[in-house]
Amino acid sequence: MLIFRTKSDIQRHLNAFNSAENKIGFIPTMGALHQGHISLIDESVKRGLYTICSIFVNPTQFNDKRDLENYPRTLDSDIQLLEKSGCNAVFVPSVEEIYPSEDTRKFSFGNLDSLLEGKHRPGHFLGVAKVVSILFEIIKPDFAFFGSKDYQQVLVIKELTKQLNLPITIVPCSIIREKDGLAMSSRNTLLSETERKAASLIPELMKKVKEWKGRGLLISEIKQKIETELAKNPIYKLEYFEVCDKTTLFPLNELTPNIKPIALIACFVGKIRLIDNLEL
Ligand code: PAF
């Protein structure tokens, strides 16, 4: 696997590349790689694409400085994991390489900016849009793969690609879960043993939502039950739980047959903020 640290090096490599014969599959990451990331690489490799991964902890998408400082950084083991996957090349730029000067661009994603993650992490999607557009510009992939745990991020990136008119197919991939159902996330490594055990309640509750919906409960009743369950243990701090329209993410007050619903949750377990979602 080739390792590139600068834009000019990876671009020189890609310029010599026969893009008519080889299509590029790209997996942008912030490192601390786990099986969820590897499943994205597998998806690209399975499609016969020249597979490039990037590892870059993007400072502009963190609205909390401490969160940025604490974000796990495990470059050596990431590279080992990538070597074993079918990844062809990895791009590991520095902050100066991606942002040689302040990126003052603005993007607007309508409701996506102000709902759920957009509301609770102001500026987060602006930072994601900045870095993803820069990485897309450098790598010029044909396909880019993203995990559906960050469901709203996938919608934002699809919208970004549309707004910038980029010829890139965005491929959302299924959430990969631990044995107890917890959605894989780089942040899971930051949980203490007690928090890790407690975290499994989140996917359990999401499963129950499906069951409650099946039993005909109203969305307001489902929300109430989620709040009650999480309030039983002070380790949890619910940030939001919503049932939304799958395509617009507009929160729903009632279920109607013509709208496909998705349940989304963000909840602190101790100091660690976890998110999950389930199509209903
Ligand atoms: O999902 C992530 O890990 C990040 O938001 C991304 C897409 C790599 C941008 O920094």
Side-chain angles (χ1 to χ4, degrees):
M1 183 181 66
L2 299 168
I3 302 176
F4 298 99
R5 293 189 182 270
T6 65
K7 269 187 293 205
S8 54
D9 281 351
I10 194 161
Q11 280 175 330
R12 197 171 315 117
H13 172 67
L14 292 174
N15 285 342
F17 188 85
N18 187 340
S19 53
E21 270 180 30
N22 298 296
K23 299 268 177 239
I24 296 176
F26 179 45
I27 298 96
T29 81
M30 298 207 297
L33 301 182
H34 50 69
Q35 225 29 61
H37 295 112
I38 301 302
S39 76
L40 305 178
I41 292 173
D42 288 349
E43 190 58 42
S44 171
V45 171
K46 204 171 76 193
R47 292 171 184 231
L49 303 170
Y50 186 81
T51 300
I52 304 180
C53 174
S54 66
I55 297 179
F56 178 66
V57 182
N58 173 36
T60 64
Q61 73 186 73
F62 286 82
N63 51 324
D64 176 349
K65 221 173 142 225
R66 271 226 316 271
D67 190 22
L68 170 63
E69 278 162 16
N70 293 338
Y71 201 83
R73 288 163 172 87
T74 56
L75 188 58
D76 291 345
S77 58
D78 288 349
I79 292 191
Q80 273 177 24
L81 212 58
L82 288 177
E83 294 273 11
K84 279 193 253 150
S85 74
C87 185
N88 298 101
V90 61
F91 181 42
V92 193
S94 65
V95 174
E96 296 70 37
E97 197 63 26
I98 295 296
Y99 300 111
S101 56
E102 197 190 342
D103 184 346
T104 55
R105 287 176 301 161
K106 292 272 176 271
F107 296 88
S108 173
F109 301 114
N111 281 331
L112 293 175
D113 284 328
S114 51
L115 294 167
L116 309 168
E117 293 297 292
K119 177 172 168 193
H120 291 274
R121 301 183 68 190
H124 170 65
F125 287 130
L126 176 61
V128 169
K130 283 179 180 173
V131 78
V132 170
S133 60
I134 293 168
L135 291 168
F136 279 178
E137 170 64 32
I138 298 170
I139 311 282
K140 298 193 171 42
D142 300 283
F143 296 84
F145 299 82
F146 293 89
S148 294
K149 178 180 70 72
D150 298 290
Y151 185 84
Q152 193 171 1
Q153 170 171 278
V154 176
L155 295 189
V156 165
I157 290 167
K158 277 188 178 167
E159 182 58 28
L160 172 77
T161 311
K162 198 167 116 193
Q163 286 181 15
L164 299 178
N165 234 330
L166 300 173
I168 303 172
T169 304
I170 304 302
V171 188
C173 301
S174 313
I175 302 179
I176 305 296
R177 295 180 180 279
E178 302 286 356
K179 275 208 190 82
D180 64 356
L182 182 65
M184 286 196 187
S185 163
S186 304
R187 289 176 200 276
N188 294 353
T189 59
L190 301 173
L191 297 163
S192 70
E193 212 177 306
T194 316
E195 290 164 349
R196 174 62 192 82
K197 276 198 193 129
S200 64
L201 181 63
I202 296 175
E204 267 171 44
L205 287 177
M206 296 303 268
K207 263 203 203 155
K208 283 202 178 153
V209 169
K210 223 173 181 170
E211 194 189 304
W212 292 331
K213 174 186 172 258
R215 290 201 339 233
L217 263 70
L218 301 173
I219 291 180
S220 56
E221 291 168 328
I222 293 176
K223 277 185 166 175
Q224 187 59 60
K225 274 180 169 293
I226 294 277
E227 282 167 22
T228 309
E229 285 303 314
L230 291 169
K232 285 181 186 164
N233 184 341
I235 201 167
Y236 305 110
K237 198 172 134 255
L238 179 63
E239 202 162 70
Y240 63 75
F241 169 81
E242 294 286 353
V243 176
C244 299
D245 178 329
K246 184 181 168 238
T247 42
T248 60
L249 279 192
F250 216 76
L252 301 171
N253 291 321
E254 54 184 335
L255 295 161
T256 47
N258 52 335
I259 295 178
K260 289 206 174 83
I262 181 166
L264 302 107
I265 190 166
C267 182
F268 280 91
V269 179
K271 285 200 176 65
I272 309 304
R273 184 177 187 275
L274 300 176
I275 57 172
D276 199 354
N277 66 75
L278 192 68
E279 289 184 33
L280 300 176

